[in-house]
Amino acid sequence: MGAAEGILDSDVGPVEPTSVLQRSGLTGVPTTTVVSEWWPTFRRQFPRCLVSASDFAGFFGTALRASSDDAKLAEQSDEALHRAFASFENQSCGLLDGLELFAALTLLSRGKVEAKVVFIIDLFDFGGRSALGRDAFGLLVERVASGMKKSCSCLGIHIPVDLPQAMAARLFHGRGAEGEMSVADLQDWWCRSLLVRRCLRRFVHSADEEAGLPDEDEWHDEEYPGVLA
């Protein structure tokens, strides 16, 4: 059995955000809004990428009200945003990881798949070198997986706890402890990975969102012995 069959339910269609997150107004927004407006402002205000419940509600409340003339939204958003925060923050530390949050919001936004993945990779390019090392890649997979689980209902994707590091070990095999993969090399990998593409397809609502990416006959499967049956 290939990796994709090992983690994906075959009878599940496009995922939907949890009802709590959907009521917050943070899902289904244009990808460009998340990537080009929300994230740069969030990064400036919270350079450690950690945010409390009050700061979360304040930041996104301001962002949502700026794009809406609905007075009712202004009244309801604070409570809904606090509930959305609580649905993500399950470590009882009172802080939410901004990388996990924005990976989830990006996947649940409306836009091109390629633009979403390029942005998520950039989130974890901590050195700004247009490349990721093995540890950063493993962290990317772990945070994306965690964000998906917390933000989506009927996800239909079962990600073993050891899979992020197994993927990193396979992808970076032979590159050495300090080895990196360029964004271009990562692009060539993920857009043809059957496992990644099928997971991403759960977040696709129209064919044009995958425009320009390799077709299914160009995808390749991967084996992760001991991690996926």
Side-chain angles (χ1 to χ4, degrees):
M1 178 184 294
E5 286 74 15
I7 72 171
L8 294 170
D9 291 342
S10 60
D11 58 346
V12 176
V15 301
E16 296 293 339
T18 62
S19 58
V20 170
L21 191 58
Q22 196 164 28
R23 284 194 293 269
S24 72
L26 297 177
T27 64
V29 300
T31 302
T32 53
T33 297
V34 177
V35 170
S36 302
E37 298 178 21
W38 291 1
W39 171 248
T41 306
F42 182 93
R43 191 71 177 87
R44 287 193 299 270
Q45 292 188 21
F46 310 104
R48 295 177 60 213
C49 289
L50 295 172
V51 61
S52 66
S54 59
D55 285 338
F56 176 94
F59 176 85
F60 285 109
T62 298
L64 291 171
R65 288 191 290 271
S67 60
S68 175
D69 297 325
D70 188 347
K72 188 175 182 181
L73 174 64
E75 298 175 2
Q76 296 178 340
S77 64
D78 188 67
E79 180 181 357
L81 287 168
H82 273 85
R83 291 179 181 274
F85 177 92
S87 72
F88 272 96
E89 197 286 304
N90 64 358
Q91 302 299 319
S92 301
C93 65
L95 295 173
L96 191 152
D97 174 17
L99 298 175
E100 180 180 290
L101 169 66
F102 270 87
L105 294 182
T106 301
L107 288 174
L108 292 169
S109 66
R110 292 302 179 99
K112 301 286 188 181
V113 169
E114 184 173 5
K116 295 179 182 183
V117 179
V118 166
F119 172 69
I120 291 173
I121 291 174
D122 186 63
L123 281 178
F124 293 84
D125 178 14
F126 304 122
R129 296 188 296 273
S130 296
L132 297 188
R134 173 174 168 168
D135 289 345
F137 178 82
L139 182 64
L140 180 158
V141 178
E142 186 273 323
R143 295 295 168 83
V144 169
S146 179
M148 289 193 302
K149 291 176 183 177
K150 295 174 184 176
S151 63
C152 301
S153 61
C154 301
L155 181 61
I157 302 175
H158 311 284
I159 303 174
V161 66
D162 293 333
L163 183 59
Q165 291 308 316
M167 292 180 71
R170 185 183 190 282
L171 196 59
F172 285 81
H173 179 70
R175 293 179 180 267
E178 303 300 321
E180 294 184 324
M181 285 190 70
S182 69
V183 169
D185 287 341
L186 288 167
Q187 165 87 5
D188 186 62
W189 166 74
W190 75 258
C191 71
R192 291 178 172 81
S193 166
L194 186 147
L195 172 62
V196 175
R197 290 296 303 278
R198 285 195 178 172
C199 286
L200 289 172
R201 183 160 283 180
R202 295 287 168 92
F203 296 87
V204 170
H205 293 270
S206 62
D208 67 312
E209 294 177 7
E210 293 185 296
L213 294 176
D215 294 329
E216 291 189 31
D217 58 2
E218 298 180 65
W219 300 357
H220 55 79
D221 205 353
E222 299 157 344
E223 300 290 339
Y224 296 95
V227 178
L228 295 175

